[in-house]
Amino acid sequence: KIGSMGQLQSSESNVIAAATIGAATAAAATYAYMRSQQPSSVDRSANEQPLRTRLAHRAPGRHDSELTAEQLSRNRLYFGEDGQKALSEAFVVVIGLGGVGSHAAHMMARAGVGKLRLVDFDHLTLSSLNRHAVGTRDDVGRPKVEVCQRHFHDVLPSLEIEAINSMFTKENAASLLAGNPDYVIDAIDDINTKADLVLACVERQLPIISSMGAGAKADPSRVVIGDITDPVNDPLAAKLRSYVRARLCQTGTDAEKTTRFQACVDAFKVCYSYEPPQADLAALTPEQAQEPAAFGAVANMRLRTLPVLGTMPAIVGMSCAAYVMTQLGGKPFEPRKIESVSQKFAHKLQNRLVQLEAKEFGNARGDEALPIADQVEVGFVVEHVWKSRSAYQMYGRTRAATRSLTLTRFDRSKPALIPNLILLTDVESKWHDAETRVTGTVPKMLLDGSHSVEAKCAPSEETLRKAQATLVKLNASYNMLA
């Protein structure tokens, strides 16, 4: 019992014993450790410093391996010995230590990531305490990297933390990304700097996840991870797409530009919220409007204040940390990149499918009608088979459309059921139906390599074959369950 621990003296042997007797006595181990760090004569006056402050100056290396093992025991149960070992040997760079970055870095520290490089040029302000992971009033005015470094060492003294009080630029990218980090977390909110960092990591083949806009949003259920072509309702993501595309597509043919941009898209992940912004930027004061350069932290950065609900940066930062931790720890997850198909959307698509069946295929409702996928089946096909994307564009490796979508038969000779439904834009669907109208089965290109109908939206043969292969595989599973 904890009460009996009062008899323990603060000897090192007692600490080791307490820390190694297993999960059943973890509380006792913690208590013994705290007792071991207190002075033998404790001043219990009103001026006694908080426990955190007293422990911050403890002697390093005091049987830390045994204590760390107990501290990270829940992580080890999740990742296993090899996974936790990989985390403890990992090197992660976090650039931007504001609301998002401080929470991402904080969780990396608590997970026992072996080495952290923290990069930020700014100081902690009073107004940022509503969202910063570890900052307190005592920390206001101090460099964010130093604030995080000190607090993280309070959590896990054995962490190797490199705190760099500097702004990321193209000029210092080589030094800030040196050492071959295992992952980079981008939590920068300036678009030019963000684009510089993403392109620098892609060029060096460094894995990176980039946070998008967390300000003016509130709904945690709409935070997802995907690629830069996915986000909607996110002005920062739209600008980043535009900047990256512009920088990569200055020379070459259209095909070469598309290839370069797609390679970049595939090389990094983004964490974003598809919730529309719920608040506007604060208006400039008369003084700011008259002399904006005098009020910015650095040149060309946003001056108007963005409203921030403190929970949202934390959720985005922790989502980034979860993705990176599971990648490094050998238990990766495949994120759902987009919103689940709503019943309203599935109902709309199913109605359109019924109308198309009657108009294009002569399959009106009645005793002789062929079966048509119902609303639940339509929702499944859209979300789980085609990921709410145009199949032509998804396999064509361009930015896949998510709007003006419709379902049609891939093979005209087969009914409109799960294994034969392809999701396309309205224009693509009309082309596909025109092609199958000629052959009576599948698009002519799959039969002899040619088009019956020339159109800008026409897919390549490779794209059609990939879509066909998806449906063949789906049909095998569908028949197995039937």
Side-chain angles (χ1 to χ4, degrees):
K1 295 181 180 180
I2 296 295
S4 65
M5 297 299 294
Q7 304 300 318
L8 287 177
Q9 298 179 353
S10 59
S11 68
E12 297 179 357
S13 60
N14 283 334
V15 175
I16 298 172
T20 56
I21 53 181
T25 54
T30 301
Y31 181 81
Y33 171 66
M34 291 168 61
R35 287 292 303 270
S36 75
Q37 302 302 307
Q38 294 182 22
S40 56
S41 172
V42 180
D43 177 13
R44 301 193 181 280
S45 68
N47 295 325
E48 181 183 19
Q49 290 182 308
L51 178 62
R52 183 190 67 76
T53 304
R54 296 202 308 274
L55 298 189
H57 303 289
R58 59 193 170 283
R62 195 178 175 91
H63 299 294
D64 197 55
S65 60
E66 291 89 351
L67 296 167
T68 299
E70 174 61 30
Q71 184 174 339
L72 300 176
S73 60
R74 298 302 188 271
N75 259 43
R76 189 173 292 102
L77 287 173
Y78 183 83
F79 287 110
E81 289 291 342
D82 291 343
Q84 187 59 41
K85 184 174 184 292
L87 281 171
S88 68
E89 295 174 350
F91 171 27
V92 175
V93 178
V94 182
I95 301 182
L97 273 297
V100 173
S102 64
H103 281 280
H106 184 204
M107 295 315 298
M108 303 306 292
R110 288 191 179 276
V113 169
K115 180 179 179 180
L116 286 173
R117 178 179 293 157
L118 309 178
V119 181
D120 198 306
F121 71 95
D122 208 359
H123 293 65
L124 196 69
T125 62
L126 194 59
S127 63
S128 66
L129 295 185
N130 80 315
R131 58 194 181 278
H132 200 271
V134 295
T136 68
R137 284 193 174 188
D138 288 341
D139 297 317
V140 170
R142 294 172 179 163
K144 291 179 180 178
V145 291
E146 294 180 9
V147 171
C148 288
Q149 181 185 44
R150 185 174 67 256
H151 284 277
F152 295 172
H153 272 149
D154 284 350
V155 173
L156 193 59
S158 61
L159 282 176
E160 182 182 348
I161 302 177
E162 185 181 2
I164 301 178
N165 187 25
S166 174
M167 183 177 182
F168 181 89
T169 64
K170 287 186 289 187
E171 291 70 29
N172 64 12
S175 61
L176 295 182
L177 298 175
N180 195 31
D182 296 290
Y183 232 101
V184 177
I185 298 177
D186 159 36
I188 299 170
D189 58 7
D190 172 63
I191 185 59
N192 287 292
T193 313
K194 197 174 206 67
D196 288 340
L197 174 57
V198 167
L199 291 173
C201 288
V202 171
E203 179 184 349
R204 292 166 173 77
Q205 298 185 328
L206 297 176
I208 177 174
I209 185 168
S210 180
S211 67
M212 298 295 103
K217 300 189 177 189
D219 187 351
S221 68
R222 301 197 196 188
V223 175
V224 287
I225 294 171
D227 65 49
I228 190 57
T229 65
D230 291 325
V232 294
N233 295 323
D234 192 320
L236 184 63
K239 288 181 180 179
L240 182 60
R241 274 196 301 267
S242 176
Y243 275 55
V244 168
R245 189 188 297 272
R247 295 190 190 185
L248 290 175
C249 301
Q250 295 179 358
T251 61
T253 65
D254 288 346
E256 290 169 341
K257 293 175 182 178
T258 298
T259 298
R260 283 199 298 270
F261 179 69
Q262 189 60 49
C264 180
V265 168
D266 293 341
F268 75 105
K269 295 293 184 183
V270 298
C271 182
Y272 66 96
S273 166
Y274 55 82
E275 178 188 16
Q278 302 298 305
D280 296 326
L281 289 168
L284 293 176
T285 65
E287 294 81 5
Q288 289 173 327
Q290 184 176 358
E291 196 176 358
F295 291 88
V298 296
N300 301 317
M301 292 193 94
R302 187 189 69 235
L303 183 58
R304 295 174 65 190
T305 302
L306 183 67
V308 182
L309 184 67
T311 52
M312 188 55 69
I315 292 166
V316 172
M318 290 186 182
S319 298
C320 291
Y323 186 82
V324 173
M325 278 191 285
T326 54
Q327 292 286 318
L328 298 177
K331 291 192 71 172
F333 59 85
E334 183 62 34
R336 171 178 283 177
K337 301 191 296 183
I338 53 175
E339 181 181 12
S340 301
V341 175
S342 66
Q343 291 186 13
K344 181 178 179 180
F345 184 53
H347 178 71
K348 177 182 177 181
L349 282 182
Q350 206 272 338
N351 277 343
R352 295 184 70 179
L353 177 61
V354 170
Q355 294 168 8
L356 180 66
E357 281 289 300
K359 181 179 179 181
E360 177 68 29
F361 303 100
N363 186 29
R365 289 174 175 170
D367 293 339
E368 302 300 322
L370 294 173
I372 300 174
D374 62 23
Q375 182 176 317
V376 173
E377 292 170 326
V378 163
F380 170 81
V381 170
V382 172
E383 180 175 1
H384 296 285
V385 179
W386 302 118
K387 314 300 182 187
S388 297
R389 296 290 191 265
S390 158
Y392 283 179
Q393 296 176 38
M394 179 168 65
Y395 289 125
R397 302 183 67 76
T398 61
R399 184 183 174 191
T402 60
R403 299 178 182 179
S404 301
L405 297 174
T406 191
L407 287 165
T408 191
R409 299 184 189 186
F410 183 84
D411 184 334
R412 177 174 285 263
S413 66
K414 298 178 181 178
L417 295 174
I418 288 177
N420 192 42
L421 288 175
I422 185 168
L423 186 65
L424 303 169
T425 66
D426 290 343
V427 173
E428 293 165 346
S429 175
K430 290 176 182 177
W431 179 89
H432 190 96
D433 291 340
E435 283 282 301
T436 62
R437 202 180 299 133
V438 173
T439 65
T441 54
V442 296
K444 194 168 184 290
M445 179 171 283
L446 293 176
L447 302 178
D448 62 13
S450 65
H451 288 316
S452 297
V453 181
E454 293 297 332
K456 187 176 180 180
C457 68
S460 66
E461 182 179 352
E462 180 185 9
T463 293
L464 280 172
R465 293 206 178 280
K466 286 181 177 179
Q468 185 181 42
T470 296
L471 291 174
V472 168
K473 183 177 180 182
L474 180 64
N475 187 55
S477 301
Y478 188 77
N479 290 336
M480 188 181 302
L481 296 172

